[in-house]
Amino acid sequence: MKFCDESINQFLDELGSDLSAPGGGSVAGLIGALSGALNSMVYSLTVGKKSYLSLIDNEKKLINKFQKESKEFTSRSLELMEEDRENFLKLMDCYKLPKNTEEDKQKRALAIKENTIKSMEAPLILARESLGFYKNLNVMAKYGNKMLLSDLAISAILLHSAIESSIINVKVNLNGLRDEEFFYRIDKELKDIIVKSIKEKNSIIEAVNIVIYPNS
């Protein structure tokens, strides 16, 4: 069964158990999905309302486009949540491979390396796509229902958490790949992503606070 098909209680029970998965990678994907869903709620309570109807056609088209993309981001986050689980379990299986002979050891080491690289993919993609999702949040920061700005801010906080969590999950795999030529490229990308995410998150929160909690 996919994690997204489980009840919240079932998922939390498994998360708190001695099972290999779900773990941090799965949680990062779930947090991303929660950010997307909360943002979609703001769209749902904006589209068709008085302020929306007063907009020009191009603005309505823009909002409708990003509303669709918000829902797609939620689905995409759940997909990456599942991919992370699958890749992690495959990596764990590699550590169980035999190492009786020198040939066994070489095959095992290669399998571990290949699957360590593979295990970086889902969290790295989630971090990249989550950073891009701030563009969507900024649309709602401009046009969204003002009664839901606190929800938008929480969506931004969750999005940053998904990014920060994903980066940790990349690093735990990347650390064993320091001899690879891509190491420094990815390391730099991770640093750039977190800096940009902090800036975007803070910008949205500050804009929201001006409206919901002025003179603070």
Side-chain angles (χ1 to χ4, degrees):
M1 179 186 290
K2 292 183 177 180
F3 288 144
C4 60
D5 294 328
E6 295 181 356
S7 69
I8 292 174
N9 284 336
Q10 183 179 356
F11 178 81
L12 293 178
D13 283 344
E14 291 181 3
L15 183 62
S17 75
D18 60 356
L19 295 174
S20 298
S26 301
V27 170
L30 178 59
I31 294 171
L34 290 172
S35 173
L38 191 55
N39 185 53
S40 291
M41 183 189 78
V42 182
Y43 276 103
S44 296
L45 293 169
T46 297
V47 174
K49 304 303 180 182
K50 186 176 180 180
S51 60
Y52 169 85
L53 295 174
S54 67
L55 298 172
I56 63 175
D57 287 345
N58 283 344
E59 288 175 313
K60 291 177 184 175
K61 288 180 181 178
L62 177 72
I63 292 170
N64 294 342
K65 171 179 177 290
F66 278 98
Q67 180 181 28
K68 179 174 179 290
E69 291 181 2
S70 185
K71 292 179 180 178
E72 290 172 348
F73 176 77
T74 297
S75 297
R76 178 63 171 152
S77 295
L78 292 177
E79 289 175 2
L80 291 169
M81 180 183 179
E82 294 297 335
E83 285 183 26
D84 183 88
R85 189 244 304 253
E86 292 171 6
N87 292 337
F88 174 76
L89 292 177
K90 288 177 182 177
L91 176 58
M92 291 300 98
D93 286 342
C94 293
Y95 284 97
K96 300 174 185 176
L97 292 173
K99 46 183 177 179
N100 300 318
T101 67
E102 193 59 37
E103 182 180 2
D104 285 343
K105 292 177 183 178
Q106 290 177 1
K107 287 181 178 179
R108 180 178 179 273
L110 180 59
I112 290 173
K113 178 181 176 181
E114 290 176 345
N115 283 276
T116 298
I117 294 172
K118 186 69 176 175
S119 292
M120 289 195 309
E121 289 183 5
L124 183 56
I125 292 170
L126 180 60
R128 289 168 176 167
E129 295 188 6
S130 295
L131 182 64
F133 192 62
Y134 277 112
K135 186 175 182 180
N136 201 301
L137 297 188
N138 282 315
V139 170
M140 279 294 92
K142 181 177 181 180
Y143 296 107
N145 188 324
K146 302 308 177 187
M147 298 296 291
L148 299 167
L149 286 179
S150 59
D151 297 289
L152 180 67
I154 292 169
S155 178
I157 292 168
L158 290 171
L159 189 63
H160 177 70
S161 180
I163 289 170
E164 198 164 19
S165 300
S166 296
I167 286 174
I168 289 293
N169 283 303
V170 174
K171 285 180 175 179
V172 74
N173 291 293
L174 186 62
N175 184 57
L177 300 166
R178 290 177 178 267
D179 293 334
E180 299 298 318
E181 61 179 51
F182 57 71
F183 173 83
Y184 291 103
R185 174 176 56 81
I186 294 179
D187 180 66
K188 181 180 182 304
E189 182 180 3
L190 297 179
K191 291 174 182 175
D192 290 343
I193 288 174
I194 199 69
V195 168
K196 291 176 181 176
S197 180
I198 291 171
K199 182 179 179 181
E200 291 281 0
K201 180 201 69 170
N202 288 343
S203 176
I204 290 172
I205 292 174
E206 287 170 11
V208 169
N209 274 327
I210 288 172
V211 178
I212 71 169
Y213 203 67
N215 302 322
S216 60

